[in-house]
Structures are given as C-alpha cells and as structure tokens.
Amino acid sequence: MKILVTGSTGYIGKRIIPILINEGHHVVCAVRDQLRVDKTYREDPNITIVEADFLKPETLQNIPKDIDVAYYLIHSMSNTSKDFEKLEATCAENFENYFSTTQVKQVIYLSGITNDENLSKHLQSRKNVEELLASESYALTIFKAGIIVGSGSSSFEIIRDLVEKLPVMIAPKWLNTKTQPLAVRDVLAFLSKAKGREELYNKSFDIFGPEVMTYKEMLLKFAEARKLKRYILTVPVMTPKLSSYWLYFVTSTSYKLASSLVDSMGIEIIGNKSDINSILDVQPITYREAVDLAFEKIEQNSIVSSWKDSLVSSGRLKNSLHKYINVPTYGCFTDYKERKIIDMDRTINRIWSIGGTTGWYYGNYLWKIRGHLDKLFGGIGLRRGRTHVSELDAGDALDFWRVIFSDRDERKLLLYAEMKLPGEAWLEFKIEDGLLKQTATFRPRGLAGRLYWYSVLPFHGFIFRGMINKLVEVEDNQMLNT
C-alpha cells in the first residue's frame, strides 16, 4: 500500500516508518521541514518526503492523492502554546478537508484515553480532534492510549529521572492516580496491524497494558527493575504549580511540558475493554517487561526516537530549522579557531560524539555550571543530553543546543543555542583543507547582549581553545602509524 505518515519526525512516527517499510509498503513522510528527516530516508526508493504544514492548507497540495492509508500522529502534547486547542482543531480540519478529496480509504489516529468526566485541556483537545477527523469520504480508526512506556518516551524518561536522582521523594497526591501503562512496542503493533482492516473502519478502541497501576507504583516498580531502594511520601498540599516546578527542576522536561503533564496526571486513565486484542492478535506486555525492554534498547544504544528531540523540549527554537541554518555575520561577535587535523576519522568521531555523557572535552565543570544557571533562570539546562552517543541528525537535542545541520560527508556540524540568552548563538564545526574550523557566533540583543558577551569572553578564550585542541588530539602515538 501507499501509506502517509504525519508527525513522521515525532516519537511514534519515527518508529512506525521502518515497520511499514519492512512490510513492503511505500511510505510518504509529511514533514514541516525536510532538514529534520533522517538522511537514509532521502536515499530510500520506498520513501517519499513531502513538506506539508497542516496549519497551512495550501501546502497540503504537496501530498499525493493516491494514498491508501494515512496515519494521523499530530498530538497536542507537542505544542505548548496557549492556543494549542485552536491549533489542534485547525490541523484536524485542514487534514479532513484535503483528504476528503483524495483516494485515501482509511485514516488511523492515535489519541488518548478520554473516559473520565473531567478531562485535562490536552485530553479534551484530542477528543475534539477525533470528531473533526471524522469524514464521509474515508473510514476513521481511532486508538486511544494512556501512558506509553519505551526508551525515549517522555513518561519513561521522567520516571527514570525521578527514580535515579531521588532516594526519597516527597511527591504530590496525583501519584495515587490510576493508569494503565502500555509498552511502545504494543502501540506500534496495534497501529501497524490495523491498516486495511475493514472491521475496524469507523470504530474507536482503548488500548492499554494488562495492569492498573498508580504513578507511585510505577515509580517503585521502576526502582525495583533498577535494583534501587526508594521511598515515596505523598502530600496533599502540593499545588499544580508547585508540582510542575518539582518535575521541572528534578527531571529533564521543560516547565511548559511539566505543567501539561501535571494537568493530565490528576485524571484517572482507565481504558474500556474491547475485543481489539484478539482481533489484531496483540497481547500487551506488563509494565516491568516494558521497562526491561527499554533498558535493553538503551544498553544497545539503539533508541530509535526520543521525546527530547521534539521541538516541545526546545527552550527557544520553535520554527523551521531553515531559519537558523544561515549563520549571521552582521552585528555579531565571533570566536574563531582552527587547527591542523592529525587523524581525520578520529576528529570526526569526536565531533559527532560531543556533549551528553561524553561531555565537551574541556572545562566540563564550567559547562555544567552554565547548565545549572540556565535551569535556575527557567532554561532547559544540560539534562536533555543526547539520544545517541555517536550519531547526530538535524533537529536532535544536544544538551542545551539543537542540531541545525549535520553531515559527516560534508564534514560540518552546526548547533543553535537553546539556553536562556540575551541574544542568539551558534556553534559550528567544519573541516576544510585538512583544518578543523570552529566558530562560535553570538548575535546580541540590546545592551544586555553585549554586556553578556564581554562578561563571558575570558572564559571563551580557554574553553573553546581547549575544546578544539582536544578534538584534533591523538592520544595514542601508535595511531599515527596506522
């Protein structure tokens, strides 16, 4: 079949595309920015990439009309705007209007479980989208999931942060809210097996794991899996705002996303039973099995997608990456250094492994201090890390930077700063004529921006010098002979 995947650079989208390709289908990836698409997708004859923004109906003409099945994976949690409900509704309306004129037979939408009478704004938005996607021109199949557990999922990473950092937790009362966590592998099984199944046309199904658990039980079960002893005391006096700050300072989430999560976590998410498991032959695994499987992926360094790479975790960057790819020069301050390369492969590998657990090669304690200060002033800090230890793609989060351009063949890596700054900053690594050229660019905003640059200038002198020296360094003399 010819299958459209919207949200193809998102957490679920990135994971379902390889499944569909392996099944022999042709996949059309709809993205707002082609820079964010995996390079291998551009070279795959079974993948077509189109730029389409569902907030701009004129761009939907780029999507072929001979689609058989479309996956609608545009979710409200990926937008923290105050007007997100209106934006979500506009996306759904534009989708329905366009695809009602195409050959698409089935649309599959991944929504959230909305059985509680009092829904959060985000869950209510998803419910509204379900109604807006309904059409007389195609069949709509809706799957409603609660907490999704898998390597790189927001719930998994937040629970991991809490468990691994806090031996004792004084936590808000919403930790006693019940839910039914579902492994991401099972979500993908439901989605992939549903395509073309006429018995599922114009029907909605709740999908959930085999256990009803509180968030507190999920934390303790996670600690058990990690062989950690943890103690949790829940208190009734923690307001939603305090709860959001608690998540923000302890975990790698942004404050806006923490606030959205707290808003949803106070609502019981229990699914209604149906025969969907037997229809699609999917038997969801337990929460503990999902956690163990996630850590297997982490240990194998094979995390396919992470919520941290979504622009929802961005501190500053909200638009197309193209807007930031041309580094400005007018009115900017720069720190430029170059060094002769001794071992090309080694230097390239070091550049593409920078940040995260590897660190920044020189003055790591100063980078950490900068990260703590950023977090203190409402920024994202260093705790996002990176998804993969040695691979970087455009759009990936890298500590408090965002990857704007990454191409090993062109030997160029461009980063854009997402920390709190009185201006904008870029960091570029480029190899030309046997030289590593490292350029830090800062475009100040007003007097505060200029004062900031001069205040950090003494630190830049040895931090950036030390970093480029380490990037071209060969520690083992024997490697010079190979």
Side-chain angles (χ1 to χ4, degrees):
M1 289 187 282
K2 194 169 189 178
I3 300 175
L4 173 76
V5 177
T6 64
S8 53
T9 59
Y11 181 72
I12 297 296
K14 276 187 175 181
R15 293 179 180 237
I16 199 168
I17 290 170
I19 294 173
L20 299 174
I21 293 298
N22 289 336
E23 291 176 348
H25 304 292
H26 186 94
V27 177
V28 178
C29 299
V31 295
R32 284 188 296 177
D33 188 348
Q34 290 205 35
L35 276 180
R36 294 200 65 199
V37 178
D38 191 307
K39 185 179 179 182
T40 59
Y41 286 4
R42 303 188 193 108
E43 301 167 353
D44 193 322
N46 294 314
I47 297 179
T48 299
I49 302 168
V50 296
E51 282 196 346
D53 185 340
F54 287 90
L55 289 173
K56 301 174 181 178
E58 66 276 8
T59 67
L60 304 191
Q61 299 297 325
N62 296 329
I63 302 174
K65 292 202 171 187
D66 59 342
I67 298 291
D68 297 304
V69 175
Y71 285 94
Y72 192 85
L73 303 175
I74 301 172
H75 294 303
S76 56
M77 291 303 281
S78 65
N79 197 307
T80 51
S81 165
K82 291 181 180 179
D83 298 324
F84 75 89
E85 292 169 287
K86 182 179 179 181
L87 296 176
E88 288 289 310
T90 300
C91 285
E93 288 172 347
N94 289 338
F95 179 96
E96 194 278 332
N97 288 338
Y98 177 74
F99 279 92
S100 291
T101 68
T102 70
Q103 300 174 26
V104 70
K105 302 177 184 66
Q106 181 190 25
V107 172
I108 301 174
Y109 172 45
L110 179 61
S111 183
I113 293 177
T114 54
N115 297 327
D116 198 287
E117 291 183 1
N118 300 311
L119 297 176
S120 68
K121 290 182 178 179
H122 280 276
L123 286 175
Q124 184 61 57
S125 176
R126 292 195 181 188
K127 191 172 184 178
N128 293 341
V129 167
E130 294 172 17
E131 298 172 1
L132 293 170
L133 287 178
S135 173
E136 295 181 356
S137 302
Y138 57 74
L140 179 63
T141 302
I142 301 170
F143 289 111
K144 300 184 178 186
I147 298 297
I148 297 176
V149 182
S151 58
S153 74
S154 58
S155 55
F156 176 87
E157 295 298 340
I158 288 172
I159 290 172
R160 182 184 181 185
D161 280 342
L162 292 173
V163 169
E164 296 189 353
K165 293 177 181 178
L166 300 177
V168 179
M169 300 179 218
I170 299 176
K173 62 182 179 180
W174 51 253
L175 251 64
N176 292 321
T177 304
K178 293 179 180 179
T179 186
Q180 288 178 286
L182 179 65
V184 66
R185 57 171 274 177
D186 294 322
V187 174
L188 296 170
F190 282 117
L191 291 174
S192 62
K193 291 185 176 185
K195 61 186 179 302
R197 298 291 293 267
E198 294 187 12
E199 66 268 43
L200 306 184
Y201 284 7
N202 297 314
K203 291 184 180 179
S204 174
F205 303 92
D206 291 349
I207 53 176
F208 45 85
E211 304 153 296
V212 175
M213 307 176 69
T214 64
Y215 290 106
K216 181 177 179 179
E217 289 171 333
M218 289 173 64
L219 287 166
L220 293 174
K221 186 71 73 172
F222 194 101
E224 180 185 301
R226 301 300 290 155
K227 297 181 172 57
L228 297 170
K229 190 69 175 177
R230 293 296 182 256
Y231 301 92
I232 303 175
L233 174 65
T234 56
V235 293
V237 293
M238 197 175 287
T239 65
K241 192 167 186 177
L242 283 174
S243 296
S244 300
Y245 278 118
W246 180 68
L247 281 181
Y248 168 65
F249 281 111
V250 176
T251 73
S252 53
T253 185
S254 66
Y255 176 76
K256 287 183 177 180
L257 181 56
S259 180
S260 299
L261 289 169
V262 168
D263 190 33
S264 298
M265 285 175 171
I267 297 166
E268 197 169 85
I269 302 177
I270 305 297
N272 292 327
K273 293 182 179 180
S274 69
D275 55 355
I276 189 61
N277 290 12
S278 58
I279 292 175
L280 296 181
D281 190 25
V282 179
Q283 299 304 318
I285 61 176
T286 65
Y287 172 72
R288 173 60 188 270
E289 289 173 316
V291 170
D292 289 340
L293 186 61
F295 273 103
E296 282 183 24
K297 297 292 184 183
I298 292 171
E299 289 165 4
Q300 295 166 4
N301 200 27
S302 57
I303 302 175
V304 177
S305 61
S306 172
W307 76 275
K308 295 177 184 179
D309 295 330
S310 166
L311 294 188
V312 69
S313 70
S314 172
R316 299 162 64 89
L317 192 151
K318 299 290 189 298
N319 301 309
S320 168
L321 299 185
H322 284 90
K323 179 181 177 181
Y324 305 91
I325 198 168
N326 294 316
V327 181
T329 56
Y330 181 76
C332 296
F333 297 110
T334 60
D335 182 294
Y336 174 79
K337 291 178 172 57
E338 63 179 41
R339 295 288 186 275
K340 184 178 180 180
I341 294 173
I342 302 172
D343 186 312
M344 183 69 71
D345 289 339
R346 186 176 179 86
T347 296
I348 289 175
N349 288 336
R350 285 193 166 200
I351 293 171
W352 262 262
S353 300
I354 203 165
T357 56
T358 302
W360 293 82
Y361 298 113
Y362 189 84
N364 276 324
Y365 68 98
L366 291 173
W367 287 96
K368 290 178 181 178
I369 290 172
R370 183 64 181 88
H372 289 311
L373 289 173
D374 188 56
K375 195 80 173 178
L376 185 63
F377 285 95
I380 54 179
L382 291 175
R383 284 182 280 184
R384 287 189 310 188
R386 50 182 291 162
T387 300
H388 195 282
V389 296
S390 60
E391 295 178 10
L392 290 172
D393 292 311
D396 285 359
L398 176 56
D399 291 336
F400 45 45
W401 300 88
R402 177 74 59 172
V403 179
I404 301 298
F405 183 85
S406 174
D407 194 317
R408 280 179 178 260
D409 295 333
E410 291 189 25
R411 299 171 180 176
K412 178 180 174 179
L413 177 66
L414 178 64
L415 309 177
Y416 177 80
E418 293 191 297
M419 73 280 276
K420 291 284 185 178
L421 287 172
E424 294 181 287
W426 289 258
L427 181 59
E428 181 183 71
F429 302 95
K430 183 167 59 175
I431 296 175
E432 289 180 331
D433 304 321
L435 295 174
L436 170 58
K437 300 179 180 182
Q438 173 186 286
T439 309
T441 302
F442 181 68
R443 179 163 61 185
R445 185 174 61 248
L447 178 61
R450 286 162 174 78
L451 291 175
Y452 171 82
W453 174 260
Y454 288 116
S455 68
V456 299
L457 194 58
F459 299 101
H460 283 179
F462 65 88
I463 289 176
F464 289 136
R465 181 174 63 250
M467 183 166 65
I468 193 171
N469 288 341
K470 290 289 186 180
L471 288 172
V472 299
E473 179 182 81
V474 176
E475 297 175 345
D476 187 349
N477 292 330
Q478 187 177 2
M479 290 195 66
L480 292 171
N481 302 320
T482 60

